Amino acid sequence: MSSNTPKYISISNDFRKKIKSECYLPGDLLPDYRTLGKQLNCSLPTLQKAFDILEREGHVRKIQGSGVYVDNGSVQEEIHPPIDVKNLTIIGIAAGATIESHSGKLIEHCLVNTILMSNDEKRQYEPLCISYINPIDLKAKLSFYRNVIGGLIINGANYDTRADSVQYALKQNIPTVFAGLQIPSQLEKMPVDTVYVDEFQGGYDVGRYFIEKGHTEIGFVHDYSHNEWGRIEGFTAALKEGGVKAVTPIGVLKDLDRLESKPYFFNQKLGAACVKKLMKCKKRPTAIMCLNDLGAIGAFEELTCMKVSMPDEVELFGFADDVESRLFFSNRTNPISTVALPKKTLAEEAFKLLVQRMNNPGLPIQIVTLPTTIIHRETTQGENKSGRKFLSDRKNDIEIINKQIIEILI
């Protein structure tokens, strides 16, 4: 080993060889970090980095309060026989650790509540949250938990990497449902039950509203990192039909810190910076669509500071009706018009599909598409055609705005 090789790499390589040569057997408890640190003359952070690598590869499994156990990585590739779910009560919820959006957190929260509150008289279900970084990490965790998991819900946004996770779960004969705000393109041909929100229609409805109101100067606030999102495709499709092209202030992005520790603050700054630039255009926009509610909050604050009247001078739309926007305006009614996503219904439908799949593996594959709802508030002139139906998906907001989510935002 080269002297330039980091020590944590050398340690992980050494333990990998010992595991593969069966010096350590699956199930063996390794010495604690303090003991290993003395034996190998290294620090705790170095050991943690080394065993993080081994855990991602599936060679070891860390159990909090117990220790580090050997879990031979080769089990990741084994194909297991179909599992008997009759007496199993555990439902796995796999949520990617890289999903920092609060929508993802909210869906996971709704999934847990839906499972806990199930009124199924024949079986008492229990949720097991499995956070993972990538498909390799999930493979290791499923290998570790598979003897207790009766079914799996993979919660994702629009990340095609989730397709690898779905494929692996199906290969292991684990009843699986994908639940997300959009169906990844790679999932379209996979035999997996899916429930997702029709974001395309939501974006399209906002675009059509702007066109029907006669707007020809339209601004669009987003960061170009999610161009494949359905809400963007729907919005631009509606404008194209109306012969209008939205203006997006591209130059703003280079002035913002993309490494902002909290996505909440980055999106808010993005919304404010984009609006500031849009309002300096020769033809100022009379309507602005934001990719999410966080950007809309920044846009709203900037327009308010500029004393631009909403909705008389500018109509403003957010997207998602996320919990963070309601927290931001907790001292008064949220004024920003938005497109509500049925996250609670998404969780309930995913759980329903999974129970059906567990009870009857031979059922045809089902794909459930859920509609979005436009909510007109103070920043637009329209009226809510669906009355107050959208509130039905908000009845548990007090429960949803829990300590965990608040800590994320602060």
Side-chain angles (χ1 to χ4, degrees):
M1 186 66 65
S2 168
S3 59
N4 293 326
T5 302
K7 191 156 188 175
Y8 72 93
I9 296 292
S10 300
I11 292 173
S12 63
N13 289 342
D14 183 50
F15 272 91
R16 188 184 302 106
K17 289 177 183 177
K18 289 180 179 179
I19 291 171
K20 288 185 176 181
S21 63
E22 298 187 346
C23 292
Y24 295 113
L25 298 175
D28 284 353
L29 174 62
L30 296 176
D32 60 76
Y33 283 164
R34 181 176 297 180
T35 302
L36 287 175
K38 291 180 180 179
Q39 292 176 356
L40 302 174
N41 191 27
C42 64
S43 65
L44 175 61
T46 298
L47 283 171
Q48 288 175 331
K49 290 174 71 174
F51 282 99
D52 282 347
I53 293 173
L54 293 171
E55 185 176 32
R56 286 198 297 270
E57 295 173 349
H59 293 297
V60 300
R61 173 60 49 216
K62 299 175 185 176
I63 301 180
Q64 189 171 0
S66 181
V68 179
Y69 291 82
V70 175
D71 184 9
N72 197 319
S74 62
V75 300
Q76 293 178 17
E77 305 306 326
E78 293 178 5
I79 304 301
H80 299 275
I83 57 179
D84 179 7
V85 300
K86 291 181 180 179
N87 298 316
L88 294 177
T89 62
I90 305 298
I91 301 297
I93 302 173
T98 56
I99 300 180
E100 296 178 352
S101 73
H102 307 305
S103 294
K105 301 280 184 187
L106 200 57
I107 292 171
E108 184 178 349
H109 180 96
C110 290
L111 282 168
V112 170
N113 279 351
T114 299
I115 293 169
L116 288 174
M117 296 167 62
S118 170
N119 294 320
D120 193 312
E121 298 178 358
K122 299 179 181 178
R123 184 183 299 162
Q124 179 63 46
Y125 298 99
E126 295 290 339
L128 172 65
C129 294
I130 308 171
S131 294
Y132 69 99
I133 299 175
N134 53 48
I136 295 176
D137 185 34
L138 182 61
K139 289 179 183 180
K141 291 188 176 182
L142 286 184
S143 294
F144 185 76
Y145 289 120
R146 80 167 314 279
N147 289 329
V148 298
I149 290 180
L152 180 68
I153 297 174
I154 295 181
N155 166 31
N158 62 322
Y159 302 92
D160 280 341
T161 55
R162 302 294 173 268
D164 294 334
S165 302
V166 170
Q167 190 173 42
Y168 179 79
L170 295 175
K171 197 175 180 182
Q172 303 305 312
N173 296 299
I174 299 175
T176 301
V177 169
F178 177 86
L181 297 182
Q182 182 174 327
I183 181 169
S185 58
Q186 293 181 22
L187 279 183
E188 293 177 355
K189 297 182 180 180
M190 283 192 184
V192 61
D193 296 314
T194 301
V195 54
Y196 72 104
V197 177
D198 190 359
E199 286 198 344
F200 181 95
Q201 188 63 49
Y204 183 87
D205 288 344
V206 173
R208 284 307 309 169
Y209 169 78
F210 283 165
I211 296 297
E212 290 170 5
K213 293 292 289 185
H215 294 289
T216 56
E217 302 300 326
I218 300 173
F220 191 18
V221 175
H222 71 97
D223 65 358
Y224 288 93
S225 64
H226 302 102
N227 281 328
E228 74 281 10
W229 275 18
R231 65 186 72 172
I232 295 178
E233 294 175 349
F235 182 66
T236 53
L239 296 191
K240 186 176 181 180
E241 285 182 8
V244 177
K245 186 176 181 181
V247 177
T248 302
I250 302 175
V252 168
L253 297 178
K254 65 182 180 182
D255 300 325
L256 295 177
D257 182 8
R258 284 185 165 277
L259 300 179
E260 171 67 60
S261 58
K262 301 287 185 183
Y264 179 90
F265 297 115
F266 171 78
N267 283 289
Q268 193 173 332
K269 288 180 180 179
L270 175 67
C274 285
V275 163
K276 186 179 293 186
K277 190 164 185 176
L278 283 170
M279 299 309 285
K280 291 181 180 178
C281 295
K282 290 183 179 179
K283 295 184 177 180
R284 290 169 47 155
T286 56
I288 297 174
M289 161 74 170
C290 297
L291 180 66
N292 51 47
D293 285 340
L294 297 178
I297 288 173
F300 177 86
E301 287 187 308
E302 187 62 33
L303 289 170
T304 301
C305 289
M306 297 172 71
K307 297 183 179 180
V308 174
S309 175
M310 293 173 280
D312 296 331
E313 294 181 70
V314 172
E315 292 197 79
L316 175 67
F317 252 108
F319 203 101
D321 195 28
D322 276 335
V323 64
E324 56 264 29
S325 62
R326 279 170 279 141
L327 283 173
F328 183 85
F329 294 106
S330 59
N331 62 332
R332 57 192 174 93
T333 304
N334 183 355
I336 299 176
S337 299
T338 189
V339 177
L341 306 178
K343 303 182 187 72
K344 182 173 178 290
T345 305
L346 179 71
E348 292 171 345
E349 290 297 321
F351 180 65
K352 187 188 302 182
L353 287 180
L354 183 60
V355 171
Q356 291 175 0
R357 179 61 55 193
M358 291 168 64
N359 292 334
N360 191 347
L363 282 175
I365 297 301
Q366 297 186 65
I367 297 179
V368 177
T369 307
L370 301 178
T372 55
T373 305
I374 279 190
I375 301 178
H376 287 286
R377 294 183 178 131
E378 296 174 27
T379 60
T380 54
Q381 297 174 353
E383 296 181 358
N384 294 312
K385 296 180 181 179
S386 58
R388 298 185 64 80
K389 289 182 180 179
F390 63 85
L391 292 178
S392 64
D393 208 49
R394 296 279 173 261
K395 60 183 179 181
N396 289 327
D397 273 358
I398 299 300
E399 182 179 353
I400 291 172
I401 304 174
N402 57 21
K403 183 178 179 181
Q404 178 188 5
I405 296 178
I406 293 174
E407 286 177 349
I408 291 170
L409 299 181
I410 295 176

